[in-house]
Amino acid sequence: MAPASSVPLLAHKDEPVRCSVHTQTDTSDRMDNHIMSSNKFAAVVGLGVSAMLLVKGGELLDSADIGSRTWIKTGFGAPARAAVCVFAGASLLAIGWMYRLLFCPLELLRTPDDVGYIAEKGRSRAQAANEVRRRRKTGELPPVYPNGWYRVLDSHMLDRGEVKNVSALGEQVAVFRDQDGKSYVVDSYCPHLGANLAVGGRVVGNCIECPFHGWQFQGSDGKCVKIPYAEKVPEFAKVRRWPSCEVNGQILIWFHCDGKDPEWMVPEQQEITKGEWVYRGRTEHFINAHIEEIPENAADIAHLAHLHTPGFLSGVDLRYTNNKTWTFLQHDWKVQWQPESEPNKHCSQMLVKHALTVFGWHVPLLDVHVVARQVGPGVVFLLFNHNFLGRGVIMHCVTPVEPLLQCVSHTIFYQSNIPALVPKFILRVECIQFERDVMIWNNKKYISQPLLVKEDSAILKHRRWFSQFYSENSPRLQYQRDTLDF
């Protein structure tokens, strides 16, 4: 994880910043119920049927007609019943697996040491990851928390009356949804005696109640409105409320080191709001790198040909992606990156033309055009448009957990009339390509003055564009001299 000796200092105003809150509760009723483990259900039914047949089989056959007795006498007794039970259970499990494959969203949630580290013989991936974090040189880093909007949860992960604790931007925040469906984000720690509002706290109306002494804080402004044992609530009793919005099936918070109001809003994808594009899955990764390393990939055009040309079948381990076994499948990329002008100078676009070749033959049916529009430092819209495969978007979101630990999620919404298998396949291939980058990010050093050639000019252009999200008071990572204490 991040160094214990790092000292990220955040400058915030005491007064909360107001921000309009939008709700998307219709999508929240909810994927979790839909996903609710069809495999487990099938397993339970299969075991139940098997147990019933084994326990009751003798009784049923003893009371059966002559034909049944003849069936037993010919040798189909207990072993046959056991085989029927096994077949029935396996069939139900197969049906559950097929249902999940065809209809349920794809969810791949990686832990911080799952991807991007090479574990030598006799060592676990966690040990390898910790060793890399201890020994890696970080370089001269930019500020660690740029100003902007950051995802904290997907909407379907938060039900009415539910509260969740989230780590973001070096802070602990409580995200809750009131009974009217509005979501709010406040600091997790109660200003009274420091209890965590999201651990044991409950939602009361539009307030969150502290589990320790029952103090209640409004989500709209953070003010304390009730202290059960006090005659009067002090005017200054409040918890910090984070400016938040709920759009495109996600709950986001606004961060600015100087406590300024939001300077732009995350645009609404109308197809998601209208229900024309539906949730088809998400992936989640934790990356040990500075946040700027991740969006900079969009301007690093040269790396696509080297890192992402090998077909997705060759996997994510960079030691083997160029294995000759899989060279029959190749990706081809044509990419252009450019910043947008006023009034959208906080946005940039990467235009991608992707082609696939099989045994050297171009397959036009699989040509895909993607527009990757970045909005601020932490949100990217990956818009797909294909005549045959349909239209959709992957919401690519980067949220700093700690100075050098980023939570990256990819949430896909796709045309509701397109079979779920299509967007799930797209998300899986995107995950494979992304995890190749993770292996680079987790082990690299940030170089503030890189050695570049003229073909790399977009990288410097991107760094100049990204610098707008830093302010004079943006927090920086500081270490104790000559030590890295993890």
Side-chain angles (χ1 to χ4, degrees), residues 147 264 345-347 463-471:
N147 303 320
W264 71 85
K345 69 173 185 176
H346 59 280
C347 300
R463 290 192 176 188
R464 287 193 296 269
W465 172 80
F466 199 88
S467 67
Q468 68 180 296
F469 305 119
Y470 301 127
S471 302

Side-chain angles (χ1 to χ4, degrees), residues 114-187:
D114 268 350
V115 180
Y117 298 103
I118 298 175
E120 301 296 337
K121 187 175 181 180
R123 299 176 67 83
S124 68
R125 283 182 302 188
Q127 290 173 322
N130 284 329
E131 186 172 342
V132 169
R133 293 167 194 156
R134 283 195 301 268
R135 295 182 178 179
R136 184 181 61 176
K137 293 184 177 180
T138 57
E140 297 179 9
L141 297 173
V144 292
Y145 300 143
N147 303 320
W149 288 100
Y150 297 100
R151 168 196 171 272
V152 288
L153 283 176
D154 287 349
S155 294
H156 74 262
M157 299 167 65
L158 191 69
D159 290 322
R160 293 174 187 262
E162 189 176 13
V163 57
K164 289 194 174 183
N165 188 73
V166 176
S167 299
L169 298 152
E171 304 280 355
Q172 299 294 310
V173 296
V175 187
F176 70 97
R177 192 184 296 281
D178 69 13
Q179 299 301 334
D180 294 328
K182 291 185 178 180
S183 60
Y184 302 100
V185 183
V186 298
D187 275 352

Side-chain angles (χ1 to χ4, degrees), residues 222-385:
K223 288 185 178 180
C224 181
V225 296
K226 181 180 179 181
I227 301 176
Y229 53 87
E231 293 183 2
K232 183 180 179 182
V233 177
E235 287 292 328
F236 55 83
K238 63 169 57 178
V239 65
R240 180 189 174 203
R241 183 192 69 86
W242 290 70
S244 64
C245 67
E246 189 165 6
V247 63
N248 303 325
Q250 297 181 323
I251 301 170
L252 304 102
I253 58 173
W254 169 263
F255 169 82
H256 195 287
C257 64
D258 298 320
K260 292 183 179 179
D261 289 352
E263 298 172 354
W264 71 85
M265 299 302 295
V266 176
E268 183 178 32
Q269 192 71 39
Q270 290 293 330
E271 292 87 346
I272 298 176
T273 305
K274 295 177 181 178
E276 297 172 4
W277 294 355
V278 296
Y279 173 77
R280 292 303 190 191
R282 71 184 177 100
T283 64
E284 185 176 89
H285 297 80
F286 290 91
I287 298 171
N288 289 282
H290 187 277
I291 182 174
E292 191 173 340
E293 300 268 27
I294 298 168
E296 188 172 285
N297 251 27
D300 185 5
I301 298 170
H303 94 283
L304 290 168
H306 189 75
L307 195 65
H308 298 294
T309 290
F312 61 88
L313 294 176
S314 59
V316 303
D317 192 326
L318 302 184
R319 295 173 295 175
Y320 311 117
T321 52
N322 287 304
N323 190 302
K324 292 183 178 180
T325 305
W326 308 109
T327 54
F328 69 90
L329 187 69
Q330 299 278 297
H331 299 276
D332 182 68
W333 309 90
K334 298 290 186 293
V335 178
Q336 180 183 359
W337 179 87
Q338 58 190 23
E340 295 186 22
S341 57
E342 291 285 5
N344 296 319
K345 69 173 185 176
H346 59 280
C347 300
S348 67
Q349 290 193 26
M350 179 175 69
L351 309 178
V352 181
K353 293 182 179 180
H354 167 268
L356 195 69
T357 60
V358 181
F359 294 108
W361 290 89
H362 176 216
V363 185
L365 184 64
L366 297 178
D367 286 356
V368 179
H369 291 186
V370 180
V371 177
R373 187 175 192 237
Q374 178 152 2
V375 182
V379 179
V380 180
F381 293 73
L382 295 169
L383 291 158
F384 294 82
N385 192 352

Side-chain angles (χ1 to χ4, degrees), residues 27 30-39 97-109 154 156 278-283 410-414 419-421 423-425 427-428:
T27 60
R30 223 42 151 242
M31 303 320 158
D32 291 338
N33 293 330
H34 176 65
I35 300 171
M36 195 196 144
S37 202
S38 55
N39 282 345
W97 180 82
M98 285 297 296
Y99 176 81
R100 190 172 181 82
L101 176 67
L102 296 175
F103 302 107
C104 293
L106 172 68
E107 297 202 338
L108 298 173
L109 311 179
D154 287 349
H156 74 262
V278 296
Y279 173 77
R280 292 303 190 191
R282 71 184 177 100
T283 64
H410 293 86
T411 305
I412 189 166
F413 294 88
Y414 219 78
L421 204 57
K424 288 169 68 174
F425 175 76
L427 183 62
R428 190 69 183 89

